[in-house]
Amino acid sequence: MNLPVTLAPVSRLRSIVSGSIGNLVEWYDWYAYSAFALYFAPVFFPKGSPTAQLLNTAAIFAVGFLMRPLGAWLLGAYADRHGRRAALLFSVRLMAGGSLLIAAAPGYATIGVLAPALLLLARLVQGISVGGEYGTSATYLSEMAGARHRGFWSSFQYLTLMGGQLLALSVQLVLQQLLSPGQLSAWGWRIPFVIGAIAALGALYLRTHMGETAAFEQKQQATLAGAESEGNVPSPGQMRQLLQYPRAVLTVVGLTLGGTLAFYTFTTYAQKFLVNTAGFSKESATLISFGVMAVALLFQPLLGTISDKVGRRPVLLMFGIGATLGTVPLLRQLAQTHDAWSAAGLLIAALFVVSGYTSISAVVKAELFPTEIRALGVGLPFALTVAIFGGTAEYVALFAKNQGVEEWFYWYVTGCAFLSLLVYWRMGETRGEKGRMVE
């Protein structure tokens, strides 16, 4: 399907929504693991203290992230060669399978060590899925957007990503009202994964009716025409092509480093921080997290629009400076807070700052690479960085707490944010670069 280079707003919105629904579902499935880990940790790891059990589930959460670079490489290369739509269809199939496996996996009491092994396998499959989803989805949204409002449209990447997390928390809140804590811990935690598998099948149906981007189709036509004129000489390997853009690759790593660690600190880990450190109940922590995420969704299109007006770099600098100066005092205050409204206010302030990164992350990375290597260029260095820093955020935080040096983690986040700030300070503006994004 050949889409016009210039799309009417309604047509553009329809295409972006089609691409975003699957993204929402995939991230719901991914975050359901973190949201319900408080309940299923004893099922798969029955021995030890609550912190030790969470440490085990966080380790598997981190291992799932280690598969994301593999997914980014495989599906990113596939998307650059065969199309964004084909790669997005494959990624949602993988996510459905992983969710179904978690929903059906027996506990430790039934099959012993095979139980955590199945949990690990499911997270590896899901890791490949989201690894490929991010780069391809970011590329799809960026290529569907026109130059004038690309920051706004591309903000849907993290809007749906955070929406998936919010949806997981919504399911958790409903189940906490309908089921007792005992029922949730025994079998109720399986329900969100069944929902996720079914929703993924629905997203698969929607994606089958999604159009390909004009940028990819035009590049394919140009490539075919060039191959015919040159006697079908094969093009260089995609990884070799990617290495022709070392500055862009290193820029993606640098701008992701602090952003991904801060994001996972103030979203997925914050819920456990409220329970384990601040002393809130599981139900209160879930409700606070839900409200905070609902507000944070609004920051994405707002800051995306601002970046269309003032540029990407000033918005990134806002995040870098805010996270470097504010992380330690904010987490110290949050640890001592016992009022739900105060905790929510602190987390909203943190996520407003973090949104300086999340709202334009997709578009900045996409604007660094040409069409033929964009999905791989966006996805692979991002996935490697997230695997090392974002995926281990919970584990590092819980390990520091278990060792009695929890504040070390605060400074760790601060240090990574400062490194990203240095990258933002030195990087050039990506908005409006010629020869990158096809209009």
Side-chain angles (χ1 to χ4, degrees), residues 29-352:
D29 284 340
W30 181 255
Y31 286 119
Y33 179 96
S34 180
F36 285 87
L38 289 165
Y39 294 101
F40 69 70
V43 175
F44 292 95
F45 306 99
K47 296 181 180 180
S49 68
T51 298
Q53 291 171 343
L54 286 175
L55 206 55
N56 285 323
T57 56
I60 288 184
F61 187 74
V63 169
F65 272 83
L66 295 178
M67 297 303 289
R68 289 176 63 165
L70 178 61
W73 173 47
L74 293 175
L75 293 181
Y78 187 77
D80 285 327
R81 187 175 296 274
H82 299 287
R84 321 315 189 194
R85 176 179 173 275
L88 288 172
L89 284 169
F90 188 61
S91 70
V92 80
R93 291 189 184 102
L94 288 175
M95 184 58 73
S99 291
L100 194 58
L101 181 55
I102 294 176
Y108 187 91
T110 304
I111 59 173
V113 295
L114 287 179
L118 286 176
L119 184 64
L120 175 62
L121 176 61
R123 289 304 285 180
L124 295 179
V125 171
Q126 290 187 324
I128 293 175
S129 172
V130 296
E133 173 74 18
Y134 179 89
T136 309
S137 177
T139 299
Y140 186 85
L141 292 176
S142 298
E143 289 180 350
M144 277 292 178
R148 187 177 177 186
H149 301 294
R150 185 172 290 135
F152 170 76
W153 293 118
S154 296
S155 71
F156 278 62
Q157 167 77 7
Y158 260 90
L159 189 149
T160 52
L161 187 155
M162 297 172 74
Q165 188 170 0
L166 188 64
L167 189 58
L169 289 172
S170 301
V171 172
Q172 188 175 30
L173 284 171
V174 170
L175 291 179
Q176 285 173 342
Q177 296 300 313
L178 297 178
L179 302 176
S180 68
Q183 290 173 321
L184 267 173
S185 297
W187 53 268
W189 61 266
R190 298 182 186 274
I191 295 174
F193 296 103
V194 173
I195 294 173
I198 295 172
L201 294 177
L204 179 64
Y205 171 78
L206 290 175
R207 284 188 169 180
T208 59
H209 296 81
M210 186 173 67
E212 186 55 83
T213 69
F216 175 79
E217 292 196 336
Q218 290 174 358
K219 191 64 182 180
Q220 284 291 93
Q221 292 169 4
T223 301
L224 289 174
E228 289 175 2
S229 64
E230 296 173 12
N232 293 315
V233 177
S235 61
Q238 288 172 294
M239 285 300 295
R240 200 165 18 146
Q241 283 183 285
L242 181 60
L243 293 177
Q244 294 175 11
Y245 301 91
R247 183 181 178 87
V249 169
L250 291 176
T251 299
V252 171
V253 172
L255 70 87
T256 302
L257 169 61
T260 187
L261 181 56
F263 175 74
Y264 282 102
T265 296
F266 292 111
T267 55
T268 57
Y269 179 62
Q271 188 180 6
K272 298 175 182 63
F273 185 88
L274 290 173
V275 174
N276 255 9
T277 299
F280 287 90
S281 67
K282 294 177 183 177
E283 292 74 18
S284 295
T286 303
L287 193 59
I288 292 169
S289 297
F290 178 87
V292 168
M293 291 297 295
V295 174
L297 285 179
L298 304 178
F299 298 151
Q300 310 312 304
L302 171 64
L303 291 173
T305 300
I306 290 174
S307 81
D308 285 326
K309 304 295 184 182
V310 304
R312 320 298 184 208
R313 185 170 172 269
V315 179
L316 288 171
L317 285 171
M318 183 270 288
F319 158 69
I321 294 170
T324 299
L325 298 179
T327 296
V328 172
L330 193 147
L331 285 175
R332 281 177 176 170
Q333 185 62 38
L334 187 62
Q336 299 170 4
T337 298
H338 303 294
D339 176 71
W341 287 105
S342 298
L346 288 168
L347 287 173
I348 287 172
L351 284 180
F352 178 77

Side-chain angles (χ1 to χ4, degrees), residues 397-421:
L398 289 166
F399 179 80
K401 180 175 179 58
N402 213 32
Q403 298 299 311
V405 288
E406 188 169 22
E407 282 212 2
W408 287 13
F409 177 71
Y410 307 171
W411 288 104
Y412 168 61
V413 178
T414 298
C416 290
F418 177 70
L419 291 176
S420 284
L421 174 59

Side-chain angles (χ1 to χ4, degrees), residues 351-428:
L351 284 180
F352 178 77
V353 172
V354 173
S355 294
Y357 162 77
T358 58
S359 61
I360 59 172
S361 172
V363 67
V364 171
K365 294 162 189 169
E367 286 173 340
L368 291 169
F369 297 95
T371 304
E372 65 270 16
I373 204 67
R374 185 170 292 140
L376 183 61
V378 171
L380 183 56
F382 169 82
L384 285 167
T385 310
V386 171
I388 296 170
F389 296 97
T392 59
E394 284 192 8
Y395 188 86
V396 172
L398 289 166
F399 179 80
K401 180 175 179 58
N402 213 32
Q403 298 299 311
V405 288
E406 188 169 22
E407 282 212 2
W408 287 13
F409 177 71
Y410 307 171
W411 288 104
Y412 168 61
V413 178
T414 298
C416 290
F418 177 70
L419 291 176
S420 284
L421 174 59
L422 296 179
V423 174
Y424 307 150
W425 189 263
R426 294 179 60 85
M427 71 181 285

